[in-house]
């Protein structure tokens, strides 16, 4: 049984993530979907959605609104359960109260899912540097693979999957995850290595390394590609555009704190800026 966690906030993008999980379940019947909604604990200070801050709302009114919100979310979850109760989808719902990111991490640690699927709007500029999204933080820290989805995507339409890497780290776990993806998607897998001015090598050297990687891990039905660009992130996104890929897959180092602030993450940049689903797994 493959356990899939879908953090769900009833937004359009989280619905896209839920729909993607359902299409996975329809394509692979040994799959369990855990739909998680976190009701944020009210904060006494800060900006409210109507301006002025939550502290401008009397405590009683704030508490009533909070309790009504919880009841509304319970009702919405019940409607989702009713909608799918007669289907073949193995669906569970979980409503918790607290902090969105912290509770997602706690559930990941407790439930140990095989895959997390999250909706994402992406971010850019100062927001990307200083704040980042909950999705980005989960991508960085989750021990299991994470799929980020920004638009309606169905597994049955997956025809081209790009796996971007430098193919220097012959990690057995990564290769195992790629094979798992191949069982889920009836797609052509493109192994692409991006050549940049600051990290240049000949096409022959690049192809030889991809070939060694594929042979070592006994991977099949792989198409090797070399792509030249000014940066790895840009090259991955441009290559995916050029072949009209349906998904991008890549690894992330999962750096946090000061090291992450200085070095950043190509995977997180791709997650932020890609219009396609991105499947990431930490190595």
């Amino acid at each position: 049984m493959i356990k899939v966690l879908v953090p769900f906030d009833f937004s359009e993008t989280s619905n896209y993530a839920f729909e993607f999980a359902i299409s996975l379940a329809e394509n692979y019947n040994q799959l369990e979907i855990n739909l998680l909604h976190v009701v944020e604990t009210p904060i006494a200070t800060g900006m409210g959605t109507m301006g002025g801050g939550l502290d401008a709302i009397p405590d009683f009114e704030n508490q009533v609104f909070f309790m009504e919100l919880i009841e509304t979310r319970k009702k919405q979850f019940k409607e989702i359960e009713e909608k799918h109760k007669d289907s073949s989808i193995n669906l569970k719902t979980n409503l918790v109260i607290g902090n969105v990111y912290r509770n997602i991490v706690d559930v990941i640690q407790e439930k140990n899912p095989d895959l997390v699927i999250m909706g994402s709007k992406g971010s850019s500029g100062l927001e990307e540097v200083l704040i980042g999204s909950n999705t980005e933080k989960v991508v960085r820290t989750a021990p299991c693979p994470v799929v980020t989805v920004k638009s309606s995507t169905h597994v049955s339409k997956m025809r081209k999957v790009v796996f971007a890497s430098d193919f220097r780290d012959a990690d057995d776990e990564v290769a195992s995850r790629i094979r798992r993806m191949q069982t889920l998607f009836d797609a052509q897998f493109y192994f692409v290595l991006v050549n940049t001015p600051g990290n240049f090598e000949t096409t022959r050297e690049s192809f030889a390394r991809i070939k060694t990687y594929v042979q070592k891990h006994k991977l099949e039905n792989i198409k090797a590609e070399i792509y030249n660009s000014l940066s790895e992130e840009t090259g991955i996104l441009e290559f995916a555009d050029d072949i009209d890929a349906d998904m991008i897959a890549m690894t992330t180092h999962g750096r946090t704190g000061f090291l992450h602030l200085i070095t950043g993450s190509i995977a997180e940049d791709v997650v932020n800026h890609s219009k396609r689903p991105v499947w990431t797994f930490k190595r």
Side-chain angles (χ1 to χ4, degrees):
M1 179 70 70
I2 295 178
K3 295 184 293 183
V4 176
L5 174 67
V6 182
F8 190 76
D9 63 3
F10 298 92
S11 66
E12 184 178 39
T13 54
S14 71
N15 270 306
Y16 292 148
F18 184 34
E19 289 170 2
F20 185 83
I22 290 174
S23 70
L24 264 181
E26 291 171 345
N27 195 59
Y28 192 88
N29 57 14
Q30 295 297 314
L31 191 143
E32 174 188 286
I33 300 174
N34 186 344
L35 207 59
L36 169 68
H37 178 68
V38 181
V39 180
E40 283 272 14
T41 305
I43 302 174
T45 60
M47 288 297 292
T49 56
M50 301 300 290
L54 287 175
D55 53 343
I57 305 175
D59 284 347
F60 177 73
E61 291 183 17
N62 193 25
Q63 291 171 15
V64 170
F65 171 80
F66 183 64
M67 296 308 297
E68 288 179 345
L69 177 61
I70 292 174
E71 290 306 312
T72 298
R73 295 311 191 203
K74 287 181 178 178
K75 181 180 178 181
Q76 290 172 312
F77 257 179
K78 182 63 68 175
E79 290 172 352
I80 291 174
E81 291 170 354
E82 285 294 316
K83 180 180 178 180
H84 295 282
K85 71 175 183 178
D86 295 326
S87 73
S88 60
I89 306 301
N90 186 353
L91 174 65
K92 297 181 179 179
T93 59
N94 184 14
L95 188 149
V96 298
I97 300 170
N99 171 268
V100 172
Y101 170 67
R102 186 68 261 163
N103 282 100
I104 291 173
V105 170
D106 288 345
V107 170
I108 289 174
Q109 292 175 345
E110 176 188 347
K111 302 292 187 180
N112 192 28
D114 299 290
L115 179 67
V116 175
I117 304 176
M118 297 186 71
S120 173
K121 293 181 179 179
S123 58
S124 60
L126 190 61
E127 180 189 12
E128 180 181 340
V129 174
L130 297 182
I131 302 174
S133 65
N134 287 313
T135 302
E136 181 181 330
K137 286 185 266 186
V138 173
V139 165
R140 187 186 315 152
T141 59
C144 62
V146 179
V147 176
T148 55
V149 181
K150 296 180 183 177
S151 60
S152 181
T153 307
H154 199 282
V155 170
S156 65
K157 297 180 180 179
M158 289 283 172
R159 291 293 175 262
K160 299 175 183 177
V161 176
V162 172
F163 174 59
S165 175
D166 60 10
F167 301 97
R168 294 182 186 278
D169 187 1
D171 191 326
D172 290 338
E173 178 63 22
V174 172
S176 175
R177 295 193 186 282
I178 293 170
R179 279 192 288 270
R180 174 68 65 87
M181 289 180 68
Q182 288 181 307
T183 65
L184 294 175
F185 306 131
D186 181 21
Q188 172 68 62
F189 276 68
Y190 294 77
F191 277 20
V192 60
L193 189 154
V194 177
N195 237 336
T196 64
N199 191 25
F200 178 80
E201 66 180 7
T202 67
T203 298
R204 177 177 290 187
E205 290 172 318
S206 296
F207 272 126
R209 193 155 71 253
I210 296 176
K211 181 179 179 180
T212 298
Y213 186 95
V214 170
Q215 290 179 339
K216 174 179 171 57
H217 296 291
K218 298 180 175 61
L219 296 166
E220 299 178 348
N221 301 319
I222 302 297
K223 187 172 182 180
E225 297 282 354
I226 311 300
Y227 197 84
N228 298 321
S229 189
L230 295 177
S231 72
E232 291 169 292
E233 176 209 332
T234 301
I236 293 167
L237 295 172
E238 289 178 343
F239 177 76
D241 281 340
D242 287 351
I243 69 166
D244 194 23
D246 299 295
M247 174 178 279
I248 297 171
M250 57 192 307
T251 59
T252 177
H253 289 283
R255 298 187 181 98
T256 59
F258 183 72
L259 183 60
H260 175 266
L261 182 64
I262 298 300
T263 62
S265 166
I266 295 171
E268 288 171 38
D269 288 341
V270 171
V271 166
N272 273 330
H273 302 134
S274 174
K275 61 185 180 183
R276 297 169 169 80
V278 181
W279 184 305
T280 57
F281 27 89
K282 191 166 68 173
R283 67 181 183 186

